[in-house]
Amino acid sequence: MASFVLSVNGVSFTEAPERSEPEDPFKGPLSYVSPWNYTFLACLMFIVTSLSLSENFTVMLVTFKYKQLRKPLNYIIVNLSVADFFVSLVGGSISFLNNAYGYFVLGKWACVTEGFVVTYLGIVALWSLAILAFERFFVICRPLKNVRLGGKHAALGLLFVWSFSFIWTIPPVLGWNSYAVSKIGTTCEPNWYSTEYSDHTYIITFFTFCFILPLGVIIGSYGKLMQKLRKVSATHGRLGHARKPDREVARMVIVMIAAFMIGWTPYAAFSITVTACPSIYIDPRLAAAPAFFAKTAAVYNPIIYVFMNKQFRKCLIHMFKGGTASLDSTHINQTSDRGTTAESHMGEMSTIAARVPLSSVCNMQRTEEEEDMKRNDNNSGNGNKLSVNENKVCPL
């Protein structure tokens, strides 16, 4: 700190300047942030919040109105919409109001409330994407063979998502880390800037279980799913069929993983950087960008996971045309040219499962059974060929 030397009657005095107190974001706008920045963020949050509320409310309304959509595989997608809806309702509304005033006008209680609710529901949405990827892998790849995904399994998935997310977002309320105002002064988040060792341990474990782990589940599930689809395509070639669904599904998988990475990677990278180097200077406007960008996930999640699905679109169009809720399932669930699709049997609002013909999987399994039987016959020396049981069906 610089000092000033004064001389009075030949006697020198050293006078230290007044210590500047940090600005309180709960009392007024921060002087080092221009007012137009708050105006811009207020407009951005108004647009994001309005779009998210309308889209996710539409998802919940259509699912409630059409019984055909209330299937176990759709539970987690509706759960994703519920989480995104309340993230925008609570976090988006508070953020819009604060930016409109230019400071955290609602006080400290609203800061803790917003920090907890937005973090909690954000992790619920993030883990919903991971469970959704695992469910698609479970349905298509059938790792447990004859075990099918039912209502109880879907309910357990929802219970895990909400309970697990609560475990990792309640500690800051109880004293392990805290929810603090961000550098720009209009939003609240976990205290990334703390230099305490205990707070660092929370950030590291939070990052591991709420970003790395769900990302691993998503990549692993979709990776296994693509391997299964390649086998289906190879079987199509052996059976003389030209249809190959893996290319189209691969594009959807890339879009889903990219959306996850784009929405959450900047925020995760920012939190780890600030935790590792708490003294680093980052412009408040730049520091606020990852958090605001992550909130846009509530807008594009319904578009990717719901509105791009043919089954949901048909119900949506039917509802807007003034149709009743008794839409015939034959108009919703389409059958493929060589068998019933996964979508027609399970009502799945999943583009991936809808594009994998079960007949292809059945044919692939039957072909593998035939090859195994032939191999066993050759090894045993039995020249008689055993026919495949034609009554054997491919379980869903």
Side-chain angles (χ1 to χ4, degrees), residues 109-365:
W109 69 270
C111 175
V112 177
T113 301
E114 186 212 8
F116 170 72
V117 171
V118 172
T119 305
Y120 179 39
L121 295 177
I123 301 304
V124 167
L126 193 152
W127 264 104
S128 295
L129 299 179
I131 298 299
L132 178 61
F134 179 78
E135 286 183 348
R136 287 169 167 174
F137 157 76
F138 188 88
V139 169
I140 302 302
C141 300
R142 297 178 57 246
L144 299 181
K145 302 302 179 184
N146 293 329
V147 178
R148 293 188 299 173
L149 181 68
K152 292 184 178 180
H153 302 96
L156 287 175
L158 297 181
L159 180 62
F160 166 79
V161 167
W162 288 90
S163 302
F164 190 82
S165 301
F166 182 80
I167 290 173
W168 290 108
T169 52
I170 194 61
V173 178
L174 303 178
W176 190 19
N177 200 275
S178 60
Y179 290 111
V181 183
S182 63
K183 288 295 183 181
I184 203 166
T186 53
T187 59
C188 279
E189 58 191 3
N191 190 358
W192 313 118
Y193 293 90
S194 175
T195 57
E196 298 292 333
Y197 175 78
S198 60
D199 292 340
H200 282 192
T201 58
Y202 170 77
I203 297 301
I204 293 173
T205 53
F206 179 83
F207 177 79
T208 302
F209 288 98
C210 297
F211 180 76
I212 294 180
L213 187 57
L215 179 60
V217 172
I218 290 174
I219 294 178
S221 298
Y222 283 140
K224 292 291 185 180
L225 187 93
M226 291 306 302
Q227 291 180 0
K228 185 74 172 182
L229 291 177
R230 280 195 289 269
K231 288 184 179 181
V232 172
S233 296
T235 304
H236 268 255
R238 291 199 301 268
L239 296 176
H241 304 319
R243 184 180 180 184
K244 292 186 177 182
D246 58 322
R247 293 180 181 176
E248 187 174 359
V249 176
R251 288 194 293 267
M252 284 299 302
V253 170
I254 293 173
V255 169
M256 294 170 184
I257 295 178
F260 180 93
M261 297 294 291
I262 291 173
W264 292 101
T265 300
Y267 191 62
F270 164 77
S271 62
I272 289 298
T273 301
V274 172
T275 302
C277 306
S279 60
I280 189 175
Y281 174 77
I282 301 178
D283 186 274
R285 294 164 295 184
L286 181 62
F292 282 95
F293 193 70
K295 292 178 181 178
T296 61
V299 176
Y300 58 74
N301 276 340
I303 297 176
I304 295 176
Y305 292 93
V306 179
F307 291 104
M308 293 179 67
N309 178 261
K310 182 185 297 184
Q311 181 192 40
F312 179 85
R313 286 202 309 271
K314 289 188 176 182
C315 291
L316 183 64
I317 294 172
H318 185 267
M319 183 183 70
F320 282 134
K321 286 183 177 180
T324 61
S326 59
L327 181 63
D328 189 1
S329 61
T330 59
H331 291 88
I332 299 178
N333 301 323
Q334 301 296 320
T335 56
S336 63
D337 52 350
R338 299 196 59 82
T340 308
T341 63
E343 183 183 20
S344 64
H345 277 283
M346 294 174 285
E348 181 190 12
M349 290 191 295
S350 167
T351 306
I352 287 183
R355 281 163 168 71
V356 181
L358 291 183
S359 60
S360 302
V361 180
C362 293
N363 290 332
M364 182 182 69
Q365 293 174 346

Side-chain angles (χ1 to χ4, degrees), residues 368-380:
E368 291 175 351
E369 291 175 358
E370 291 175 356
E371 292 176 353
D372 291 339
M373 287 182 175
K374 291 179 181 178
R375 192 179 301 110
N376 293 333
D377 291 342
N378 293 333
N379 293 335
S380 62

